[in-house]
Amino acid sequence: MMVEPLALRGITKTFGATRALDDANFVLRAGEIHGLIGQNGAGKSTIIKVLAGLYRPEAGTVAIGGKVLSHVTPRAVEAQGVHIIHQEPLLPPSFTVAEALFLGREPHLGPLLALRRMRKEAEKIVSAQFDISISGNALIGELSAAQRQVVQITRALLLHPRVLVFDEPTAALVRQEANRLFGIIRRLRDEGTAIVYISHYLEEVRDLCDRITILRSGRDVATVDPSATPMAEMVALMTNRTIGDMFPKRQVSRGGAVLAVRSLRRAGFFEDVTFSLHGGEILGLTGLLGSGAKEVLQALFGLGRVDGGEIAVRGQAVTIPSPGHAVARRLGLVPEDRRHQGIALDISVRENATLASLRKLTRFGLVDARRERQRVASLIQRLGIKTPGPETRTRDLSGGNQQKVVLAKWLSAQSDVYILDEPTVAVDVAAKVEIYRLLGDLTARGSAILILSSDLMELCGICDRILVMYRGRITRRVLPQETTANDILAAATGAGTSRDRPEAA
């Protein structure tokens, strides 16, 4: 019987009340490339961190080469020949290529480092493995994403790995670089290295892998042969959800265009991004990591540069070089990381709620305390913020109520456009429904909402239109009533044929 290079069985891992992995299994055979797929939050990252020895599970075993490890630590896993190529290469940017490759096993001439020998050996090894030329003296921080991947893979190969794990390796690569990486992975498999390949891009997983394991809600729901499994079936196994009553949707007449974006681009992140956002509308935006969707939101709020294109607010062309300019144009941003970017945790609900509107509450250089109290009391009531009082420290509220405080800040500023980045992440179901109802109230008042979300059911449930980004471009424009979460996920992974709607839709 052939020994399995890697086997994780019955893995359970919890974080507080959240069960990230629930009796999950993953078995890698010799001589294969084995894909691991699932939606965000399915447990992919968690199971890899268990394998890497970064998380200790409550139950389950990790076996390498048929041997169950009694203590799973990063050092023990590497000693058994398992190496992980992380999405963000963990190489010091100030190191040269030679220093990064030989870190921890540097050749010496007596007491001194053999720097010239290191450089020549580094260049020779990279050339032999990948048929490309990279200077051994080049700094890691100056290399392209593809070159950093090559250095990280080469460093792992010098340790003669039994198993290589690739975690979203093409997220920062252009198509030509990705194709070269696929050739390298296939060659490594043919030379005897077993490969685990994790990616959101279903088309490349299907084309590259010999088998695919699908995770959903912390469990392995299927292991399939990609050559015999339709893409739609894999997508359905990943989602297994339908729209229910948890998405209250208000029907609102759409007004005129409040925000218009034309041919917006930022080199290396997105290009030719064109769309309009109307009063009374919720416009959804989605895309996988590396699609450029998040960077588009940041650019609209002055948190990232643009290299070309046009932004217009209420028909007037504008530049938004900073968040201050965005606020002046009556744009508000609810960031994904509310605890570090959206609110100040150690000040009160009152102070957070009026943080973006203090100028409107100030007379002769002093805050009108009476007007401020009245406005905050109204916001607390309107948003249903559960707090002992306006002076309660924001840190002491639940996640859902903290999110409502962020929304209160922009309501107080009387924004016309609300840009929401994953607005319901890490909040409970009841709080989500309340937030959806609030968004409906905002549109009824004529506000325009642009929402970036990886929760595809959420987008289908609350949006009027949905834009799908893939590798820096908007590739699909769909109406929720004419599509499904499965179709959107397929489009986001480059595998879909969802109906495209014109911009006027």
Side-chain angles (χ1 to χ4, degrees), residues 22 35 44 73 93 134 139 141 154-155 194 197 209 213 274 360 381 385 440 472:
D22 185 8
K44 303 186 303 295
T73 66
I134 300 178
L139 293 177
T154 303
R155 174 173 163 76
Y197 190 85
C209 296
T213 290
T274 297
K360 298 178 180 179
Q381 181 180 17
I385 300 174

Side-chain angles (χ1 to χ4, degrees), residues 469-492:
M469 291 192 68
Y470 176 72
R471 294 195 180 280
R473 290 178 176 269
I474 295 175
T475 57
R476 295 287 185 272
R477 305 172 190 270
V478 298
L479 301 179
Q481 65 269 27
E482 296 181 359
T483 191
T484 66
N486 293 357
D487 290 337
I488 295 172
L489 180 59

Side-chain angles (χ1 to χ4, degrees), residues 425-477:
V425 68
V427 301
D428 61 40
V429 173
K432 285 184 179 182
V433 174
E434 290 180 8
I435 290 173
Y436 300 148
R437 288 200 177 100
L438 169 64
L439 299 185
D441 291 344
L442 289 175
T443 59
R445 294 169 181 259
S447 297
I449 297 172
L450 176 62
I451 173 172
L452 171 65
S453 178
S454 57
D455 187 333
L456 305 183
M457 299 304 299
E458 175 175 84
L459 292 179
C460 288
I462 67 171
C463 293
D464 299 292
R465 293 183 295 141
I466 301 171
L467 310 177
V468 184
M469 291 192 68
Y470 176 72
R471 294 195 180 280
R473 290 178 176 269
I474 295 175
T475 57
R476 295 287 185 272
R477 305 172 190 270

Side-chain angles (χ1 to χ4, degrees), residues 79-237:
Q80 292 296 319
V82 176
H83 298 275
I84 300 174
I85 310 299
H86 295 279
Q87 181 178 343
E88 295 293 334
L90 304 178
L91 302 173
S94 60
F95 276 34
T96 66
V97 169
E99 290 168 338
L101 287 182
F102 291 101
L103 181 63
R105 50 186 186 280
E106 298 87 348
H108 286 75
L109 287 174
L112 303 176
L113 287 177
L115 296 177
R116 186 177 179 184
R117 178 179 159 195
M118 283 172 57
R119 176 182 61 79
K120 288 185 175 181
E121 283 294 311
E123 293 171 355
K124 179 180 177 181
I125 293 167
V126 170
S127 178
Q129 291 289 342
F130 303 109
D131 194 28
I132 62 173
S133 177
I134 300 178
S135 170
N137 286 332
L139 293 177
I140 296 296
E142 296 174 349
L143 301 182
S144 69
Q147 289 173 324
R148 289 195 297 272
Q149 287 277 17
V150 164
V151 174
Q152 187 164 241
I153 295 168
T154 303
R155 174 173 163 76
L157 293 179
L158 290 175
L159 299 173
H160 307 290
R162 175 184 296 174
V163 174
L164 273 180
V165 180
F166 290 86
D167 186 4
E168 296 286 355
T170 64
L173 304 185
V174 299
R175 174 50 56 188
Q176 184 177 1
E177 294 171 337
N179 287 338
R180 174 175 289 180
L181 177 63
F182 300 153
I184 292 167
I185 291 174
R186 290 187 179 101
R187 177 172 62 80
L188 291 173
R189 173 198 57 192
D190 295 342
E191 293 174 353
T193 304
I195 307 289
V196 180
Y197 190 85
I198 305 163
S199 178
H200 281 297
Y201 297 114
L202 297 190
E203 188 174 23
E204 68 183 31
V205 175
R206 179 196 60 189
D207 294 342
L208 183 66
C209 296
D210 302 297
R211 290 191 303 152
I212 299 173
T213 290
I214 300 166
L215 290 181
R216 186 179 71 232
S217 301
R219 298 181 67 91
D220 56 303
V221 294
T223 295
V224 301
D225 175 355
S227 65
T229 309
M231 189 75 73
E233 183 177 335
M234 286 191 276
V235 172
L237 285 166

Side-chain angles (χ1 to χ4, degrees), residues 381-452:
Q381 181 180 17
R382 180 179 171 188
L383 296 177
I385 300 174
K386 295 179 176 61
T387 174
E391 300 305 319
T392 298
R393 191 174 62 160
T394 309
R395 180 185 298 276
D396 297 330
L397 304 185
S398 69
N401 284 293
Q402 288 177 0
Q403 192 74 310
K404 291 179 185 178
V405 173
V406 183
L407 288 166
K409 178 173 70 174
W410 297 115
L411 282 173
S412 179
Q414 298 177 327
S415 302
D416 288 336
V417 177
Y418 293 86
I419 302 172
L420 311 179
D421 184 357
E422 302 285 359
T424 62
V425 68
V427 301
D428 61 40
V429 173
K432 285 184 179 182
V433 174
E434 290 180 8
I435 290 173
Y436 300 148
R437 288 200 177 100
L438 169 64
L439 299 185
D441 291 344
L442 289 175
T443 59
R445 294 169 181 259
S447 297
I449 297 172
L450 176 62
I451 173 172
L452 171 65

